[in-house]
Amino acid sequence: MLGFLAVPGISLLVDCTVGAGGHAGAFLKSQGGTGSESGSEESAQRLTALERTEDARVIGIDRDRDSLESAERNLAEYGSRVSLHHARFSKIDAVLDAEDATPDAILFDLGVSSPQLDRGERGFSFRHDGPLDMRMDQSQGESAAELIARLDEKDLGNVIFELGGERSSRRVAAAIAAEQREEPITTTGRLASIVRRAVRGRSKIDNATRTFQALRMAVNDELGELRRGLDAAARRVRSGGLVAVISFHSGEDRIVKHYFKDHEALEVLTKKCVRAAWEEARGNPRARSAKLRVCKRKDVEEAQDA
């Protein structure tokens, strides 16, 4: 799915959600490669039109300190070719200013990672009982428990519907508000039980899924950070450079699609979103819902003629 990272000409990649270093490591290993999985012959030709370069580097950004620690361990073999920063999307300008860098490509991999979901103490998952936190950066901001306590029933319902697409959002919000009045909701297990009782009907996914997704996105202002990150990426990537986004949420994908299409300085390279190949999706269930979109920042002459 990320074959575009192996195209010649990308000597500096900014991985805005470096996580455990998976994409960054794959990029560094594949430098000098020529493969492309852009989804069409036309896109492949555009993506491989860049010139070959050596000694690729990665600037890795993540708002989760635990992820940065994992990336530091997993990418240690690359030494000074990797620089890691604790920051969110809206701080990309500050990171690039500190590095005095103009990247050839900028990558966003949105959503929550498997390690975050697997650790009950982070509060992202309804499968593990733990504190109702959900913050990507636990050093700042309000937790999901604090968000629930602050919002009134109507606003909570709006969040659950708009960010989670939960059709029973009003009923869920009412149930949460009623339980909250009895005793503050502070654990993922209790919240999941409340939501499951409130959501009617059976689903292929756990009935708590959409509410947990909505609260996580609200706690971390994920859509706002995405918009600010895209603004920074469009400004800071070099002329002819690439901006790529992997999204897992329809709202995120819609923002990316229209941003790429409407920005006068960007040329869309993936006319349709790219989905993971069957083999990749079989080995990584999370990849089944992934959508990749890639654009190129136009050269000055191209932008003026557009």
Side-chain angles (χ1 to χ4, degrees):
M1 193 172 185
L2 289 179
F4 78 94
L5 289 178
V7 304
I10 302 179
S11 61
L12 176 58
L13 168 70
V14 174
D15 187 344
C16 295
T17 35
V18 69
H23 293 324
F27 163 68
L28 292 169
K29 288 179 181 178
S30 67
Q31 65 164 333
T34 57
S36 175
E37 300 173 26
S38 60
S40 71
E41 181 178 352
E42 177 186 4
S43 296
Q45 290 173 350
R46 293 182 180 183
L47 289 173
T48 57
L50 302 170
E51 297 180 357
R52 182 182 300 274
T53 99
E54 302 295 334
D55 300 325
R57 292 195 304 120
V58 169
I59 295 174
I61 300 172
D62 209 294
R63 63 197 295 186
D64 187 330
R65 291 188 184 276
D66 291 343
S67 295
L68 287 173
E69 291 177 2
S70 296
E72 186 174 15
R73 291 192 300 270
N74 295 335
L75 300 174
E77 64 185 285
Y78 298 104
S80 62
R81 294 171 62 193
V82 176
S83 177
L84 300 176
H85 294 262
H86 179 232
R88 58 179 63 198
F89 295 163
S90 55
K91 302 300 182 183
I92 292 174
D93 281 316
V95 170
L96 294 179
D97 287 345
E99 292 274 354
D100 191 23
T102 301
D104 303 300
I106 299 178
L107 170 66
F108 299 85
D109 184 2
L110 308 177
V112 65
S113 68
S114 295
Q116 289 169 327
L117 288 172
D118 292 340
R119 296 181 58 190
E121 67 270 22
R122 297 300 304 273
F124 288 109
S125 176
F126 46 79
R127 294 187 176 91
H128 308 280
D129 192 23
L132 189 56
D133 194 323
M134 297 193 186
R135 290 173 297 169
M136 298 288 187
D137 182 356
Q138 292 184 299
S139 68
Q140 57 182 308
E142 66 179 354
S143 67
E146 292 168 330
L147 178 70
I148 287 174
R150 177 175 61 82
L151 295 179
D152 62 28
E153 183 179 320
K154 180 180 179 180
D155 288 340
L156 180 59
N158 289 339
V159 166
I160 295 170
F161 179 75
E162 293 170 5
L163 297 181
E166 175 54 69
R167 294 179 180 179
S168 301
S169 58
R170 298 301 174 200
R171 195 158 46 248
V172 170
I176 291 174
E179 291 283 343
Q180 181 74 18
R181 286 191 291 270
E182 295 295 324
E183 182 182 353
I185 302 169
T186 59
T187 66
T188 55
R190 185 173 173 222
L191 176 63
S193 296
I194 295 168
V195 175
R196 288 172 183 142
R197 291 196 301 269
V199 176
R200 296 175 181 173
R202 295 184 177 181
S203 172
K204 293 181 180 179
I205 62 174
D206 191 294
N207 282 342
T209 300
R210 294 183 178 89
T211 296
F212 269 66
Q213 171 187 283
L215 294 176
R216 187 206 78 222
M217 294 182 71
V219 164
N220 296 288
D221 187 22
E222 292 182 28
L223 297 187
E225 284 294 318
L226 172 59
R227 292 185 179 94
R228 291 185 284 273
L230 290 173
D231 283 341
R235 286 194 307 271
R236 301 303 295 262
V237 73
R238 73 165 172 82
S239 177
L242 306 178
V243 178
V245 183
I246 303 171
S247 63
F248 299 84
H249 179 268
S250 59
E252 293 171 336
D253 181 61
R254 188 160 48 248
I255 289 172
V256 175
K257 176 182 178 180
H258 290 292
Y259 191 93
F260 284 1
K261 179 182 177 182
D262 298 339
H263 200 295
E264 61 182 9
L266 301 177
E267 176 188 358
V268 176
L269 300 182
T270 49
K271 301 303 181 183
K272 295 183 178 180
C273 67
V274 179
R275 294 184 177 273
W278 180 81
E279 295 82 1
E280 181 181 355
R282 183 179 63 173
N284 178 14
R286 183 171 178 258
R288 294 172 188 168
S289 58
K291 297 178 181 179
L292 168 69
R293 296 187 186 275
V294 185
C295 70
K296 182 186 80 169
R297 182 176 176 183
K298 299 175 184 178
D299 294 328
V300 175
E301 294 79 6
E302 290 181 281
Q304 290 175 342
D305 293 339

